[in-house]
Amino acid sequence: MTTLIVPLLLIFIAFVLVSVLLSFIPVGLWISALAAGVNVGIFNLIGMRLRRVVPSKIVNPMIKGHKAGLAIATDQLEAHYLAGGNVDRVVNALIAAERAAIPLQFERAAAIDLAGRDVLQAVQMSVNPKVIETPVVSAVAQNGIELRVKAKVTVRANIDRLVGGAGEETVIARVGEGIVTSIGSSESHKAVLEKPELISQTVLAKGLDAGTAFEILSIDMADVDVGKNIGAQLQMDQAEADKRIAQAKAEERRAMAVAKEQEMKASVQEMRAKVVDAEAEVPKAMAQALREGRLGVMDYYNMQNILADTQMRGNIAQTGKTESGSDSLTKK
């Protein structure tokens, strides 16, 4: 019995060791590489494990590239993988570029991928250009009429400028600026409506794709609408502002006139007070003259008679005016 347990135990230990060894060494992947004609050594696969590289992430793209006729070294793929790149996407981009006869080296594709751009999408965009639609751009012609324009920009990826080149937002901003400049230089909005292609020609002539990751193929005006009469609106706003200024100045002059009137009324009251004061001094002066003998009693009575006679004549004249006014009203 003991002689049977020992061999069985040895067989079990050997089976466990072989299972662990096979799980550490990707024998199946090595066999697939040999069958595809890719020269990857078993010790190289073990080294990938030790370098914390997933062997399938390297071997499968190498098989794909080898079948497509690409000469890619294992070290290049490992270095790109360790740098945080997408090896499979880079190989797919190289295959697509090879089929489309686009010159693209592995180092350039790896740099584009590490820069955060989709290198496969860039190659596809080089073959099949992309259409970028701009938002509505508002511009005003020289005659004050607003035009609202929406453009479609056809771009193609520029592989050489993908690293360090500006993106779609810059292209859209530059195209919008070109549209505003082109419409603003037009004497009338009618000229723009008659020939919208003039905007496209003017914008294309500016070389707006300089420094970007794209090459502008065409700019087409998708929609041109007439907006507000900005010139007339500005004139109305200016007229309204001038009217308010004039009203404010008129109100200021009226307030000054009212203040002046109040000052004059106060001055009149002050003069009347002075007259009243002066009239109050007359009886005192007459009494003083009587006491000093400079004015006789008869002189005083004569003066009183004259004043009474004057008052009577004034009352008679006032009564006559009242009666004549009543007669005229009765006749009417």
Side-chain angles (χ1 to χ4, degrees), residues 39-106:
N39 187 15
V40 180
I42 190 69
F43 293 103
N44 195 2
L45 295 176
I46 296 174
M48 291 181 189
R49 290 286 192 185
L50 296 176
R51 289 188 292 269
R52 298 180 181 276
V53 176
V54 180
S56 60
K57 297 288 186 180
I58 304 298
V59 175
N60 290 332
M62 280 194 67
I63 295 173
K64 189 188 306 182
H66 179 74
K67 291 298 183 181
L70 300 178
I72 306 174
T74 309
D75 293 338
Q76 291 177 319
L77 297 180
E78 282 194 58
H80 187 65
Y81 179 85
L82 292 173
N86 191 323
V87 176
D88 191 62
R89 186 165 55 191
V90 170
V91 173
N92 290 337
L94 291 173
I95 295 173
E98 178 71 20
R99 294 294 183 268
I102 298 175
L104 180 61
Q105 302 297 326
F106 176 82

Side-chain angles (χ1 to χ4, degrees), residues 216-231:
I216 298 178
L217 300 179
S218 66
I219 300 176
D220 303 315
M221 298 299 108
D223 189 15
V224 181
D225 295 330
V226 179
K228 299 179 181 178
N229 191 336
I230 302 298

Side-chain angles (χ1 to χ4, degrees), residues 138-147 187 189 226-240:
S138 177
V140 181
Q142 292 183 7
N143 61 348
I145 304 299
E146 177 193 21
L147 293 178
E187 294 183 358
H189 70 288
V226 179
K228 299 179 181 178
N229 191 336
I230 302 298
Q233 185 65 37
L234 291 176
Q235 292 178 359
M236 292 172 58
D237 294 342
Q238 184 64 42
E240 182 67 21

Side-chain angles (χ1 to χ4, degrees), residues 195-216:
K195 293 183 177 180
E197 65 272 10
L198 294 178
I199 301 177
S200 303
Q201 296 172 2
T202 304
V203 175
L204 282 174
K206 294 180 179 294
L208 303 179
D209 53 1
T212 66
F214 303 98
E215 178 184 353
I216 298 178

